[in-house]
Amino acid sequence: MTEIKKVAFVGSGNVTTHLSKVLYQSNIQIIGFYGRNQQTTQLLAQKYHTNYGKPEELKSCEADLIIISVPDNAIEQLLQLIPPCKTLIAHTSGSLSMNVLNKLSNRSAVFYPLQTFSKEKEIDFKNIPIMLEAKEEADLTALEHLAKKISDKVFKINSKQRKKIHIAAVFSSNFTNYMFHIAEDLLKREEVPFDVIQPLIEETTEKIKNLRPYDAQTGPAVRRDFDTIQEHLDDLKDLPEYHEIYKLISHHIIKSRK
Amino acid sequence: MTEIKKVAFVGSGNVTTHLSKVLYQSNIQIIGFYGRNQQTTQLLAQKYHTNYGKPEELKSCEADLIIISVPDNAIEQLLQLIPPCKTLIAHTSGSLSMNVLNKLSNRSAVFYPLQTFSKEKEIDFKNIPIMLEAKEEADLTALEHLAKKISDKVFKINSKQRKKIHIAAVFSSNFTNYMFHIAEDLLKREEVPFDVIQPLIEETTEKIKNLRPYDAQTGPAVRRDFDTIQEHLDDLKDLPEYHEIYKLISHHIIKSRK
C-alpha cells in the first residue's frame, strides 16, 4: 500500500475548508488549492503555507490524492481543465457517481464526509462518519488509512448505499433545518425569541439516541387529534407555504401509523 | 398571594408523569391522580403515596391547583365530571383556549411546558420553558412562583402567542422527528445503521445555537442543484410518500431564497 502523504484540493468551499484544516493538523502535506475562485483558494493557501491556482495549474502527478469538492454540476467541466495523471482522485459528493472521475484518472474514489458544513462553524472531525469507495482495492486501503487519521467512524460502502445515505441526510438535516426556519419565522411574527424552542429541539434529537424515531413520535398527528390539526391549519391560512407543509406531513404521520 | 402547596392531577399521560415527578421532588403535595385510566392513575398514586380515582371523585376544593393534562378533545367531557369548586385550575395544552375551563372555575389558567415528553425518557425540567397564562393576576403570580421552583425558564404569554408557539413546536419537533423516521427507514432498506446519521443530526441542531436557521441551510435545494434533486426524486419513485415530501420541501426551500 502506498501511503497518502500529499493531497491537492480542487474547490474552496465548505468541505474543502474543514477537510483541509483537519488533514493539515494530521500532518498531511497539502500541495495546493485549485479552483475558479481565486480569492478563496488564495486565502486557504496562505493559511496552510502552500500553493494555489486555476484548475489547469494543478500538477496532478505531484499529489498522492486529489480531492475534488465542488458543486456536483460543476465537476465535469472542471475535470476537463485539470492536467491528467494516473493519480488517485476522489470527490466528496453524496450523490455523484464515482465514474465521472474516470476521464481524469482510472484510479477514481469517493471520500464522502457525512456532515453539514458551514464555513463559520467549527467542527470536530473525529465524530464525522466518512464514507469511502474506490475502484481499486489498494486505493481503498490507502484512503481508509488516511480517513482513520482524522475520524473514528470510517465506513466502506457501495454507490447505492451512498446515494440512500445522502437522501437520508437531506431529510434529517436539510429538511429538518427548514422546519427550524419555519418555527423561527412563526415565533418572530409573535415576537417570541427562537431560544424558547431550543430545549425542545435538543430533546427531540436527544430522544432518538435511545428510541427509534417511530417510537419517539409525538404531536397532534400521531394522537389523531384532528381538532388541533384543523385549528393549526386555520391559523396558517395566511401563510400558504407553511399551511401546505403542515397538511402534507401531518397526513403522512397519520398514514404511517395505520 | 396564596402559595400553591397542594396539587391534584387529572389525566395520567406523559405530561402528568413528568410534571408530577418534578413537583413531588420540589416538595409540592400531590393530593391525587384522577382519570379514566385506573391502571395508570393507580400506578402514579402508589409512586407518590397519594390518592387516585375517577374524575368525579376529585375533591376539588382540597387542591390549591388542579392540573388537567388530557388530550384536547377529551377535556370538555372531563370537566363535566369534576365536582366544581372556585379553585385554580390549569390545563397544559399548547392550543386549547383557557376559557374552556370556565365551566368548572372562573380561576382558569394555562401551565404549558414546551417540551416533547415520552414516558420512557427521563428529562431535566430545569431547562424546560414553562408558558403561563391566568385569568386573574394573583393566580398568575402564584403559578409563576410554582413554575420557578421547577424550571429556570418561566414565561408569561398570551393565548395568541401560545398558539403560535405550539405550531412552531409541531414543525421543529414533531415534523423533525418524522424526517428522522424517513431517514431511518431509507437507511434500513440499504442495511445502513441509523447511528451513521446521528452526528449529522446533532450538528444540525448544534449549528442553530449560533446561526439563524436561514443562514444554516445547506443541501441541494439551497444550492439550486437541480440535477441532484431530480436524481433523488428518481430514486424515491417507488416510495411515493417520501417522494411527495422531498419535492414539496425542496420546492419551498428554493422559493424561500428568492
Side-chain angles (χ1 to χ4, degrees):
Chain A
M1 183 193 86
T2 329
E3 204 181 322
I4 297 166
K5 290 176 184 163
K6 298 176 182 178
V7 175
F9 280 94
V10 178
S12 52
N14 292 342
V15 175
T16 297
T17 301
H18 289 280
L19 191 53
S20 61
K21 184 179 177 184
V22 68
L23 286 176
Y24 181 82
Q25 287 167 342
S26 305
N27 297 316
I28 299 297
Q29 189 190 336
I30 296 170
I31 69 164
F33 294 91
Y34 300 86
R36 291 165 304 180
N37 186 331
Q38 206 211 301
Q39 206 186 346
T40 50
T41 49
Q42 186 176 358
L43 220 70
L44 285 165
Q46 282 167 348
K47 217 164 161 185
Y48 304 119
H49 319 290
T50 187
N51 309 303
Y52 68 96
K54 298 205 167 103
E56 45 269 50
E57 295 174 277
L58 166 56
K59 300 197 176 79
S60 307
C61 291
E62 286 184 12
D64 298 325
L65 166 66
I66 300 171
I67 296 179
I68 303 194
S69 190
V70 298
D72 287 4
N73 52 10
I75 205 165
E76 291 215 41
Q77 222 185 333
L78 250 173
L79 287 168
Q80 292 171 352
L81 302 173
I82 302 170
C85 178
K86 231 187 119 42
T87 192
L88 176 57
I89 177 162
H91 70 62
T92 62
S93 161
S95 49
L96 209 63
S97 158
M98 185 166 71
N99 297 330
V100 297
L101 302 173
N102 290 354
K103 281 176 196 163
L104 195 66
S105 164
N106 275 324
R107 292 176 56 203
S108 56
V110 178
F111 192 100
Y112 172 45
L114 182 59
Q115 192 49 278
T116 166
F117 297 99
S118 296
K119 269 194 177 142
E120 314 75 31
K121 172 81 179 63
E122 284 301 311
I123 209 157
D124 178 15
F125 237 94
K126 276 284 163 215
N127 198 30
I128 298 178
I130 297 179
M131 309 292 169
L132 300 178
E133 280 179 74
K135 203 168 177 187
E136 292 181 19
E137 194 57 36
D139 288 334
L140 188 58
T141 309
L143 282 173
E144 197 183 1
H145 188 75
L146 179 74
K148 283 184 172 169
K149 285 185 183 172
I150 60 173
S151 166
D152 293 332
K153 297 178 178 175
V154 178
F155 298 87
K156 295 184 246 182
I157 56 165
N158 61 45
S159 293
K160 198 160 163 266
Q161 288 174 317
R162 176 164 51 91
K163 207 169 187 180
K164 275 294 189 327
I165 290 169
H166 189 220
I167 298 176
V170 170
F171 276 97
S172 59
S173 175
N174 307 150
F175 290 176
T176 286
N177 184 74
Y178 192 63
M179 297 300 124
F180 300 155
H181 165 67
I182 294 175
E184 191 216 21
D185 188 35
L186 292 172
L187 293 175
K188 202 169 58 189
R189 288 163 193 269
E190 295 299 325
E191 293 173 1
V192 175
F194 185 52
D195 287 4
V196 154
I197 219 154
Q198 290 272 13
L200 174 67
I201 289 173
E202 267 175 60
E203 176 64 13
T204 303
T205 56
E206 190 60 32
K207 268 165 87 168
I208 54 156
K209 288 182 186 167
N210 300 301
L211 291 173
R212 289 183 55 211
Y214 185 90
D215 297 321
Q217 188 69 55
T218 57
V222 72
R223 286 198 309 269
R224 303 177 69 83
D225 181 350
F226 298 110
D227 293 345
T228 300
I229 293 172
Q230 192 51 53
E231 240 186 273
H232 286 175
L233 287 173
D234 291 346
D235 221 54
L236 292 171
K237 66 179 186 303
D238 296 331
L239 301 164
E241 291 90 350
Y242 301 166
H243 185 280
E244 197 179 7
I245 292 173
Y246 189 105
K247 197 170 168 181
L248 182 71
I249 302 181
S250 294
H251 168 73
H252 284 306
I253 293 175
I254 294 164
K255 247 181 86 180
S256 73
R257 319 298 288 200
K258 273 182 185 163
Chain B
M1 182 193 87
T2 328
E3 204 182 322
I4 296 165
K5 291 175 181 164
K6 297 175 182 180
V7 175
F9 280 95
V10 178
S12 52
N14 293 341
V15 175
T16 298
T17 300
H18 289 280
L19 191 53
S20 60
K21 184 180 176 182
V22 70
L23 286 176
Y24 181 82
Q25 288 167 342
S26 305
N27 297 317
I28 300 297
Q29 189 190 337
I30 296 169
I31 69 163
F33 295 91
Y34 301 86
R36 290 166 303 180
N37 186 333
Q38 206 211 301
Q39 208 185 345
T40 50
T41 49
Q42 186 175 358
L43 220 70
L44 284 166
Q46 282 168 349
K47 218 164 159 184
Y48 305 118
H49 319 291
T50 188
N51 308 303
Y52 68 97
K54 298 203 167 104
E56 45 269 49
E57 296 174 275
L58 166 56
K59 299 196 176 82
S60 307
C61 292
E62 287 185 12
D64 298 325
L65 167 66
I66 300 171
I67 297 179
I68 304 193
S69 190
V70 297
D72 286 5
N73 52 9
I75 205 163
E76 291 216 40
Q77 222 183 334
L78 250 172
L79 287 168
Q80 293 172 352
L81 302 174
I82 303 170
C85 178
K86 231 188 120 44
T87 191
L88 176 57
I89 178 163
H91 70 61
T92 62
S93 162
S95 49
L96 209 63
S97 157
M98 185 165 72
N99 297 329
V100 296
L101 302 172
N102 291 352
K103 282 176 195 163
L104 194 65
S105 165
N106 275 326
R107 292 176 55 204
S108 56
V110 179
F111 193 101
Y112 172 45
L114 183 59
Q115 193 47 280
T116 165
F117 296 100
S118 297
K119 270 195 175 141
E120 316 75 30
K121 171 81 179 62
E122 284 301 312
I123 209 157
D124 178 15
F125 237 92
K126 276 283 162 218
N127 198 30
I128 298 178
I130 297 178
M131 309 292 168
L132 299 178
E133 279 179 75
K135 204 167 175 185
E136 293 181 18
E137 195 57 36
D139 288 334
L140 188 59
T141 309
L143 281 172
E144 196 183 1
H145 188 76
L146 179 74
K148 283 185 172 169
K149 285 185 183 173
I150 60 173
S151 167
D152 293 333
K153 298 179 178 174
V154 179
F155 298 87
K156 295 184 246 182
I157 56 167
N158 62 44
S159 293
K160 196 160 164 266
Q161 288 174 317
R162 177 164 49 92
K163 208 169 187 177
K164 275 297 190 321
I165 291 170
H166 190 219
I167 299 177
V170 171
F171 276 98
S172 59
S173 175
N174 308 149
F175 290 175
T176 286
N177 184 75
Y178 192 63
M179 298 299 125
F180 300 155
H181 165 68
I182 294 175
E184 191 216 21
D185 188 35
L186 291 172
L187 293 175
K188 202 169 57 188
R189 288 164 194 268
E190 294 300 325
E191 293 173 0
V192 175
F194 185 52
D195 287 4
V196 154
I197 220 155
Q198 291 272 12
L200 174 67
I201 290 174
E202 267 174 62
E203 176 64 14
T204 303
T205 57
E206 190 61 32
K207 268 165 87 168
I208 55 158
K209 287 181 187 168
N210 301 302
L211 291 173
R212 290 184 55 212
Y214 185 90
D215 298 320
Q217 189 68 56
T218 57
V222 74
R223 286 197 307 269
R224 303 178 71 82
D225 180 351
F226 297 110
D227 293 344
T228 300
I229 293 172
Q230 192 52 53
E231 239 187 273
H232 286 175
L233 287 172
D234 291 345
D235 220 53
L236 292 172
K237 67 179 186 302
D238 296 331
L239 300 164
E241 290 90 352
Y242 301 165
H243 185 279
E244 198 179 5
I245 292 172
Y246 189 105
K247 197 171 168 181
L248 182 71
I249 301 181
S250 294
H251 169 72
H252 284 307
I253 293 175
I254 293 164
K255 247 182 85 180
S256 74
R257 317 299 287 201
K258 271 180 187 165

